[in-house]
Structures are given as structure tokens and as C-alpha cells.
């Protein structure tokens, strides 16, 4: 799976691959569909983000022996004045170009994927699988309730929809 920047997981009696690639979100999470309406956010520390990777790959010109290739974020090294090095193995890689792309991907991931969101949800999200992309709409973060739940609906006379919260305070006045 490392050959295609992916991972393997077991589901429904099958081994399935998933690749790390750009995808569209498949589900939205908000305070309305997470337990206790709570999200927890963490970030990786800037002092632990690698700015150099030593990628080992199998060089055919050297009898397929493991050979190191150094990929660096020279701008970050110059700005911080330090090198934070990590190692990575490009498993099954016999091309220096592929090893270089793998190292660049590792660097990009280290710099750009730094936030972690944690929450618990019910069975409504049981269809999600590893690798799925989701949206998180945290009303506490932006002070706007993007979503909610319908508490009740009646059709006696005019239809009446009752929501889980008062949204009038978030509506803008149209007085001119």
C-alpha cells in the first residue's frame, strides 16, 4: 500500500485498499449529529513537523540495494534554523523519480495536514470507512449554526416545523 500512498483495511470479509488523494466530502458533521454536540481539535506542534525526509529506495543501477535520497524543505530550514529529519521507505520503488515524489508528498503532508478533529457519533455515520473525507461544521468555531435537527413536524392546518434551536438570532434584518 505504501507504493500508492495508501492503506489497507479489512471490512465485510474483504481487504480493501484506499489511496490518499483529493476527494469530495461524503458526510457533514455538526453539533446536531455528534454526541453531546462536542468537537475536540488538536494541532501538531511546529517543532515536530519534519522539514527533511531521507527516503530509501531500491536503486537498480546499484544491484537494487537500498539507497538514501534526501528531500528537504529548504525554505523552512532557512526560516527555522533547524533540520527536523525523518526517514521513510519507498517500498518496492525502483525509480529515483518515484522516490522523490514520495518524499515531496511526505513533506507536503507534514506541513499541510496538521489538525486533528475528534468526536463521537451514532449509527447514522456507520457507513463511513477509512479514507472518507467529511465536513465539520462547528457552530462554536464560527458562531453560525450551519445545521441542526428537526424536532417535530405537523400538518394540522398550516405545516409547522419545530427545530432543535432558535435560529432567529442568526437571521439578518432586511430593513433598509
Amino acid at each position: 500500500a505504501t507504493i500508492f500512498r495508501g492503506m489497507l483495511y479489512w471490512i465485510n470479509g474483504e481487504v480493501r485498499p484506499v489511496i490518499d488523494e483529493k476527494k469530495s466530502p461524503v458526510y457533514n458533521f455538526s453539533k446536531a449529529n455528534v454526541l453531546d454536540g462536542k468537537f475536540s481539535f488538536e494541532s501538531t506542534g511546529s517543532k515536530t513537523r519534519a522539514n527533511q525526509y531521507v527516503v530509501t529506495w531500491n536503486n537498480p543501477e546499484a544491484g537494487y540495494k537500498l539507497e538514501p535520497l534526501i528531500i528537504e524543505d529548504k525554505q523552512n530550514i532557512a526560516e527555522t534554523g533547524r533540520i527536523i529529519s525523518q526517514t521513510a521507505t519507498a517500498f518496492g520503488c525502483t525509480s529515483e523519480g518515484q522516490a522523490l515524489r514520495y518524499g515531496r508528498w511526505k513533506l507536503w503532508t507534514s506541513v499541510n495536514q496538521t489538525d486533528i478533529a475528534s468526536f463521537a457519533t451514532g449509527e447514522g455515520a456507520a457507513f463511513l470507512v477509512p479514507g472518507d473525507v467529511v465536513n465539520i461544521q462547528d457552530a462554536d468555531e464560527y458562531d453560525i449554526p450551519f445545521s441542526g435537527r428537526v424536532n417535530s413536524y405537523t400538518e394540522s392546518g398550516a405545516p409547522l416545523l419545530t427545530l432543535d434551536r432558535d435560529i432567529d438570532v442568526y437571521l439578518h434584518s432586511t430593513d433598509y
Side-chain angles (χ1 to χ4, degrees):
T2 58
I3 293 170
F4 58 87
R5 296 187 322 257
M7 66 179 189
L8 300 173
Y9 67 96
W10 179 267
I11 188 169
N12 298 330
E14 297 178 338
V15 175
R16 297 219 181 145
V18 63
I19 188 170
D20 185 5
E21 65 180 347
K22 186 175 181 174
K23 299 176 188 171
S24 297
V26 297
Y27 198 66
N28 294 323
F29 285 101
S30 71
K31 293 169 90 54
N33 60 358
V34 299
L35 295 180
D36 300 323
K38 298 204 187 289
F39 294 99
S40 172
F41 297 97
E42 296 178 54
S43 180
T44 59
S46 62
K47 293 181 180 178
T48 63
R49 293 182 198 141
N51 56 15
Q52 179 189 73
Y53 274 92
V54 179
V55 176
T56 55
W57 63 288
N58 301 91
N59 187 348
E61 294 177 9
Y64 294 95
K65 291 184 180 175
L66 287 178
E67 189 168 293
L69 177 66
I70 297 174
I71 297 99
E72 299 178 315
D73 181 348
K74 292 179 182 176
Q75 181 178 350
N76 182 272
I77 292 170
E79 289 172 1
T80 62
R82 65 179 183 272
I83 295 175
I84 303 169
S85 185
Q86 289 191 7
T87 60
T89 301
F91 180 78
C93 175
T94 59
S95 160
E96 185 174 1
Q98 182 180 356
L100 181 63
R101 288 188 301 275
Y102 179 67
R104 287 180 181 162
W105 170 76
K106 295 286 283 180
L107 277 177
W108 184 91
T109 301
S110 178
V111 170
N112 293 293
Q113 295 185 352
T114 59
D115 297 321
I116 300 169
S118 302
F119 56 91
T121 186
E123 16 180 272
F127 70 93
L128 293 171
V129 294
D132 280 346
V133 175
V134 297
N135 286 323
I136 295 177
Q137 301 168 336
D138 186 10
D140 294 338
E141 183 77 19
Y142 299 104
D143 198 30
I144 300 170
F146 290 105
S147 60
R149 294 209 178 240
V150 174
N151 277 350
S152 65
Y153 175 77
T154 58
E155 285 196 35
S156 57
L160 178 64
L161 190 68
T162 306
L163 303 178
D164 65 347
R165 68 192 71 154
D166 180 20
I167 62 169
D168 291 340
V169 295
Y170 298 100
L171 300 175
H172 296 291
S173 172
T174 57
D175 297 334
Y176 294 101

